[in-house]
Amino acid sequence: MNPTIPELPEEDDLQTRIKALQKAVWKATEEAIKSSQNEEPRHFKSTNTSTTDSYPGTENDDPNISFALGMTLFGQETTVVEREVQKKLKQIENELQQVVLAQQTQEPSGEDEDDADNALEEDGAALEAQAAKLTHQIAFLKECSKARSLLDEATFHQEWIQSAALLAKAQTSLASAEDMVMLAEHANAPHLDKAHIILESLRVPIRRKRGDLVTKAENMVRSCITVSPQSLKVRSPEDAYKVLESLEDGMEIVHRLADDLNREVFQPLLESHRNGTSSGPWAFRENTVNEAIGVRQTKGPMYTLEWSSRTVDIDRIDESDCIEETNIMAWGQTLTLIRKIMAFVQERVLVKRSPLCGMIGKRLFGKSSKPNAINLEAFGLRSDLISDDTGVVMKPMISLMWDTCIPSARWEPSQVANLSGMEEQLKKVVESFEQEMTERNFLASQSPLPDFCTDFEQKHADRRRAEILGVARDLLLNNDYHNTKTVGKEIEEGPDDDVLGEDGMSIFEFHQCAISITASRLHELCRNTMDEAVESSAVLARMLYRTAREILDLFRAMIPATHVSEVAQIPRTAAVLHNDCVFFAHKCLTLGLEYKEKFTKSDQGELRRMCMFVDMVPPFRELANKSLGEIIEKQQFILWELVGSRIKLLGDAMRENEDVAEWTDAETALTAGRNHLRHLSQAWKTILSKEIYTRCMGHLVDTLFNFYLDKIMEAKDISEPASHFVSVLFQNATRSMSDLVERSPLWDRFTAVGRFMGMNLADIQNSLSEGVFRSVTAQELTRLITATFDRSERRERLLKVLSTQQQR
């Protein structure tokens, strides 16, 4: 490949010289493509670019002449050829600069100087555009030639470290050439297919060579490092690291080493804390051994770090010792072991290479010290939500520290005072660990460890809250919600003028009913939490007061969601939920006042002012009304299906003089409705309080009565047999339901209509004076008389009396 530049006389015009340079660049491009086809895979060899697109004036030129001449003059070595190519491209570039300079210094000629100036400017602009395009093409060809030359040197170099360095330079040149093509694409430059062919001819061998070098380096690193639960052995793979650094690789092999350390050493170490055992003082032994493989050759020194410990069973610790304090001492020993191992890794395994130390540190202990590219705090969000890797060791280690160093059980105030000493003890250990890991570039400057070692009292309060709420969740999820117990006091109804009862406080008593055992235990847990808050410091007391309120919130959130189908379908479950909510509402009325006076410590003044639960009463009452109200509406709909839908034609059938199907359906519907109400009574009588039971059953009984009253009242003609049928039907209904409910709002009205059906006009007139029909309006009674009795003088007198009453 040896592009020739024609010798141009000085008197030749600039346009002729530019065309000559364009021809030379075109030939250089063709020769670069030819070179790539001779060196690259088969699918590039089939590409023929010289025969389909020729430069004007070169139709009779052999496009391979220059390439053949280069092979003849300089041999077959790619490096030598590419060096000569770069030299010729430099000559072309110099000639192009001379042409541009000549154009800039050219003066206009001719009589009309203005026209000459304009023509010169136009010609100059066109020539500058052509020169810029040629400059870009020459730069691209120079970078590609440089990349091919470096790739050839890297391929045949005997020393693989130098080979990796040369390959890295080839990658840089290739990247520069790719950037040039990208800029040309943005400028919509034509004929870029040849450039892509040249680039692809370089990408494939560079990628292949890079893969070979990286694989060789990674295999060497793996063969030089041995990780076991009690030792770490390494034969320095420094040459492999140099190769990986040159190629800006090594992430995979470093992550593999980090995973081996975590699996073989760190995870078993953390498991010892999780299983209730702590590590005793560690003994370390480090040595160096030179292993010979021949008379004059050695593999290099083998560095070994070994460690051993004695374990201490937590159960054997003196009861006077605080387990959390003992755990902090154990964590000190653990961090000491991690420090020693990571120091050996930095010095012997990674031979003090900071980039590799940063990679393995990020894998084990979390993200690097570089800030995130996106500052989420500016948007009011936590900045560690993106690219926040807490590390395969750091995250479980902090979790275990929470579990083992922060007490979750109830502590006496004297024990809580020791938390500050425990905090300082762990902080010293963590600070020394973090300082050394940061110096060795393993640990980020902002690790979560220092944050963990602050404010132990607040952390103890947080853990205590989590512990109590965990117990509450278990109570709500694992207990059988259908098991109940009786609570409250049975209140006997006295005279209307004695509503306060004998002791004057019965109005404030909780009426006897059945609540779930779950609610009873949850209330007990809430009171125990408040009792603990009374005896605690201000920080813990505030958290426990909050926890007690959250226990009640958990009930309102979880029970309706967990038992949603049972509450909606089963009357007993709905009644139990109603009673639980009423129970909690009743307790919340006085719970805050009860404990407000118990916060007597000097630092509990804030709690004395704010302690209250009365604000939780409305939500509980609303949930109680909702649960029982919805199930009652459902029972009303069931009664309509059992009764109302069967007696739609009863009003019209009242004119019949003999037994018809509608009368039989009315009797059957009444029996079905009565049986359904009996089932409800069995489910509710032992659950609901006496007052609530009476209201609920009375409402449903009235619903049943109302179905029949509506049909009787709308009848326009009632025969005498129908009257006797209704009289018997209504009497049977009241007699059979007297054991379900003593009285209901429609009971008297239903009874009065039933008695009316068995009376004559004289009996009705007598009953009016006795007040039997006081629950029936005069208009309704008039309609019944008109429909039941034929026109007569006695009927007219009675209707006149009723009309007079209506006017009053």
Side-chain angles (χ1 to χ4, degrees), residues 504-702:
M505 296 297 291
S506 61
I507 193 174
F508 301 107
E509 295 286 349
F510 184 69
H511 290 209
Q512 180 175 310
C513 64
I515 65 171
S516 66
I517 295 178
T518 299
S520 176
R521 292 177 178 175
L522 207 66
H523 173 253
E524 183 180 356
L525 178 62
C526 181
R527 292 190 64 89
N528 291 340
T529 303
M530 291 301 296
D531 291 337
E532 183 179 349
V534 170
E535 301 174 0
S536 303
S537 62
V539 174
L540 183 56
R542 286 194 296 269
M543 183 63 70
L544 292 175
Y545 165 65
R546 169 188 170 184
T547 304
R549 292 176 58 88
E550 289 174 336
I551 290 173
L552 301 179
D553 288 335
L554 272 180
F555 178 88
R556 290 193 297 110
M558 294 182 64
I559 290 298
T562 305
H563 304 281
V564 57
S565 59
E566 293 92 331
V567 171
Q569 301 293 333
I570 304 176
R572 185 181 185 277
T573 305
V576 171
L577 177 58
H578 168 271
N579 290 352
D580 288 348
C581 293
V582 173
F583 173 76
F584 281 124
H586 179 81
K587 295 299 181 182
C588 287
L589 285 172
T590 58
L591 191 62
L593 295 174
E594 177 184 350
Y595 281 95
K596 184 188 292 285
E597 302 301 326
K598 294 183 180 181
F599 289 111
T600 57
K601 294 183 178 181
S602 58
D603 58 351
Q604 295 178 342
E606 182 181 3
L607 281 175
R608 280 197 298 274
R609 293 190 299 272
M610 63 182 292
C611 181
M612 62 178 294
F613 289 85
V614 70
D615 60 307
M616 306 185 78
V617 172
F620 274 115
R621 286 180 174 172
E622 181 180 355
L623 181 57
N625 294 335
K626 180 175 180 292
S627 61
L628 194 59
E630 289 180 352
I631 199 66
I632 289 177
E633 290 180 0
K634 183 176 181 61
Q635 301 310 310
Q636 286 180 299
F637 180 75
I638 293 176
L639 286 175
W640 161 251
E641 290 182 330
L642 294 175
V643 179
S645 61
R646 296 183 179 182
I647 61 173
K648 290 181 179 180
L649 302 178
L650 180 60
D652 295 335
M654 296 303 295
R655 64 169 60 93
E656 302 295 337
N657 290 317
E658 58 185 9
D659 192 1
V660 292
E662 286 79 2
W663 295 5
T664 305
D665 289 341
E667 291 179 327
T668 304
L670 178 63
T671 302
R674 182 177 64 240
N675 292 337
H676 181 71
L677 292 177
R678 286 189 181 279
H679 287 301
L680 285 177
S681 176
Q682 293 173 359
W684 282 350
K685 196 163 190 176
T686 58
I687 300 296
L688 296 172
S689 64
K690 185 176 181 180
E691 179 183 2
I692 299 299
Y693 170 81
T694 301
R695 291 181 182 178
C696 293
M697 289 304 300
H699 181 75
L700 292 175
V701 168
D702 285 350

